[in-house]
Amino acid sequence: MHDIRLVRTNPEAFDAAMARRGVAPVASSIVALDARVRDAQTRVQGLLAERNEIGKSVGIAKRKGEDTAALEARGREVAGGIAAAEAALPEQQAELKGILESLPNILDPEVPDGPDETANVVLHTHGDPRMPNFPAREHFEIGEALGMMDFPTAAKLAGARFVVLKGALARLERALGQWMLDLHTTEHGYTEHVVPLLVNDATMYGTGQLPKFAEDLFTTTDGRYLIPTAEVPLTNLVRDEILQPVQLPIRATALSPCFRSEAGSAGRDTRGMLRQHQFTKVELVSITAPDQSDAEHERMTQAAERVLTELGLTWRRVFLCSGDTGFGAARTYDLEVWLPGQKAWREISSCSNCRDFQARRMKARVKTGKDNLLVHTLNGSGVAVGRALIAVLETHQNADGSVAIPPVLRPYMAGAERLG
């Protein structure tokens, strides 16, 4: 959501910012519609003031015994004008709001320009993308050979893009989530939350899923939505709140199931666990004062990187270009892991600074002197549990089909050192 005052005062700069997102010039339409809305509001206010004056004049004239017919006739005209103006105003306001809420966030000036992921910039690589000295298998081949990963049964139960994990592999997934939560709460200062998995439309609107991405969401029969990530309820904890400076920064985390329709992913990653309708993720959310968010973005990204390093994975940090940065983000770092089975880098975490984009939708502010400023919101994966499981299986696979369990997870696995 954008500040209409910024569009008003510098429409050329706003169009230039939207052009980086591939959006055609729109400022002139916004400014013209905004002018009509403000004119209508001024007209209503003027007519209301005139109606009040007419009412006073009618009262005075009646006390004097004077004829009030002309005044009352004018009063009826004014009342009709007020009704007409007030009837038209909501439609104009809704049109203006609809345009503003459909436009993506303004990118940070440092975000590299580019049409898609091919223009993303690798900032740092941790480890070498090595291959084992035997034919590397993909995660689903490993899991199925162990008898612990079952896609046919999941398809029978729910359809495509689901999986059944069992035995030690199910425990390993649980261990990953538990360990990540423990790491972020004890060493990175995040407070653990258990949040609703079903939320209302105001909550989805606050973080930008609605109205633009409705097709990516699962909706219930009573009008609620299954969360696509715990970012949604965690960020909305401060919706309609005026926070005190001492409350910031707020750092929240949750381990939750996530649900996505993957509406635009037909034919992509149809094998295995990479792209599913239901998956588990540890989410990191920060709410900060405006001058704290850039430092918090770096801090959050390093917290996610710590997870990958401790798991013994090869990873890299990628600065997303303009064409690959998400709708609500001002800047985003993706963390990608090397998967020997796929012989490819795959995204495992996205850490974004949304600045005040979500806060304006949520009306989330912080008290600063006489003013209330919009807070800044940040979110990141700390990390996606299913993708971490994939990376552990492919990175630590052995020639005999077994998988070495990273040392940090062994206390959560009753001391076991390997699967299989």
Side-chain angles (χ1 to χ4, degrees):
M1 198 73 169
H2 297 282
D3 186 346
I4 185 62
R5 293 171 297 181
L6 295 179
V7 187
R8 241 186 251 144
T9 55
N10 201 336
E12 295 82 8
F14 187 78
D15 277 341
M18 289 299 103
R20 296 191 68 202
R21 291 284 205 165
V23 177
V26 70
S28 60
S29 299
I30 294 173
V31 171
L33 182 55
D34 174 58
R36 291 200 299 274
V37 169
R38 288 191 293 152
D39 287 345
Q41 290 171 331
T42 300
R43 175 170 169 74
V44 169
Q45 291 168 357
L47 290 172
L48 287 170
E50 184 179 357
R51 184 179 68 180
N52 291 338
E53 288 301 317
I54 290 172
K56 294 177 184 177
S57 297
V58 168
I60 293 170
K62 285 184 175 179
R63 286 195 296 272
K64 293 180 178 180
E66 297 174 354
D67 183 10
T68 61
L71 284 172
E72 290 175 345
R74 175 56 185 162
R76 289 190 291 273
E77 290 177 10
V78 170
I82 292 171
E86 287 182 334
L89 188 56
E91 183 177 340
Q92 293 173 329
Q93 290 172 323
E95 184 180 357
L96 178 60
K97 179 172 176 283
I99 294 173
L100 290 173
E101 69 190 10
S102 71
L103 297 172
N105 200 355
I106 293 174
L107 295 170
D108 185 283
E110 294 184 355
V111 171
D113 287 317
D116 52 39
E117 61 186 15
T118 60
N120 293 342
V121 177
V122 177
L123 299 179
H124 171 74
T125 301
H126 178 88
D128 298 318
R130 294 187 294 267
M131 297 293 294
N133 57 8
F134 56 87
R137 293 187 291 179
E138 294 196 49
H139 68 279
F140 52 85
E141 297 172 310
I142 298 168
E144 289 175 331
L146 290 170
M148 301 178 188
M149 187 179 290
D150 188 345
F151 294 99
T153 299
K156 178 179 70 175
L157 298 175
R161 297 192 187 275
F162 292 92
V163 67
V164 171
L165 302 178
K166 52 190 173 182
L169 192 54
R171 182 168 185 169
L172 181 60
E173 192 202 47
R174 175 161 56 90
L176 279 162
Q178 184 65 57
W179 168 72
M180 290 179 204
L181 270 184
D182 288 348
L183 177 67
H184 293 312
T185 56
T186 61
E187 298 193 30
H188 297 148
Y190 288 87
T191 299
E192 183 177 353
H193 291 68
V194 175
V195 293
L197 304 183
L198 289 169
V199 298
N200 56 32
D201 54 359
T203 301
M204 284 293 189
Y205 179 83
T207 43
Q209 278 73 28
L210 290 179
K212 189 173 180 64
F213 301 104
E215 68 172 5
D216 293 326
L217 305 172
F218 286 112
T219 311
T220 65
T221 54
D222 64 354
R224 280 186 272 257
Y225 298 86
L226 287 166
I227 61 169
T229 163
E231 169 205 345
V232 175
L234 288 176
T235 308
N236 274 274
L237 291 172
V238 298
R239 191 175 81 227
D240 297 321
E241 298 287 336
I242 299 177
L243 303 167
Q244 296 299 319
V246 295
Q247 295 177 262
L248 301 180
I250 295 170
R251 298 186 178 110
T253 186
L255 170 65
S256 77
C258 306
F259 305 90
R260 298 183 187 176
S261 72
E262 298 291 354
S265 64
R268 297 175 59 193
D269 300 317
T270 55
R271 293 291 306 274
M273 293 177 56
L274 270 165
R275 195 177 297 275
Q276 296 198 295
H277 291 310
Q278 175 186 319
F279 58 96
T280 305
K281 182 154 70 80
V282 173
E283 186 69 16
L284 306 176
V285 163
S286 295
I287 312 295
T288 76
D291 62 351
Q292 297 173 341
S293 67
D294 284 340
E296 187 70 15
H297 189 205
E298 179 62 28
R299 185 186 189 278
M300 174 182 285
T301 306
Q302 289 182 6
E305 290 171 345
R306 171 82 180 278
V307 171
L308 307 181
T309 299
E310 293 288 335
L311 290 175
L313 306 176
T314 298
W315 57 267
R316 65 185 187 182
R317 184 194 292 199
V318 179
F319 197 179
L320 298 194
C321 73
S322 57
D324 202 30
T325 301
F327 176 80
R331 59 185 290 152
T332 298
Y333 297 133
D334 266 11
L335 301 182
E336 298 178 345
V337 289
W338 173 252
L339 299 182
Q342 284 202 7
K343 302 179 180 63
W345 293 97
R346 300 305 297 258
E347 182 250 315
I348 195 170
S349 173
S350 237
C351 296
S352 298
N353 187 349
C354 298
R355 302 264 164 80
D356 63 6
F357 186 79
Q358 293 176 324
R360 182 168 285 106
R361 301 171 79 104
M362 296 189 301
K363 298 183 176 66
R365 294 152 289 174
V366 58
K367 188 79 173 174
T368 56
K370 295 181 179 180
D371 299 321
N372 296 326
L373 296 180
L374 294 169
V375 298
H376 281 195
T377 64
L378 303 95
N379 63 81
S381 303
V383 297
V385 175
R387 293 201 172 196
L389 182 67
I390 290 169
V392 166
L393 291 177
E394 295 199 13
T395 299
H396 299 301
Q397 61 180 300
N398 298 312
D400 63 1
S402 66
V403 177
I405 298 172
V408 292
L409 299 180
R410 291 173 189 172
Y412 299 86
M413 296 290 294
E417 298 183 0
R418 61 167 51 194
L419 293 180

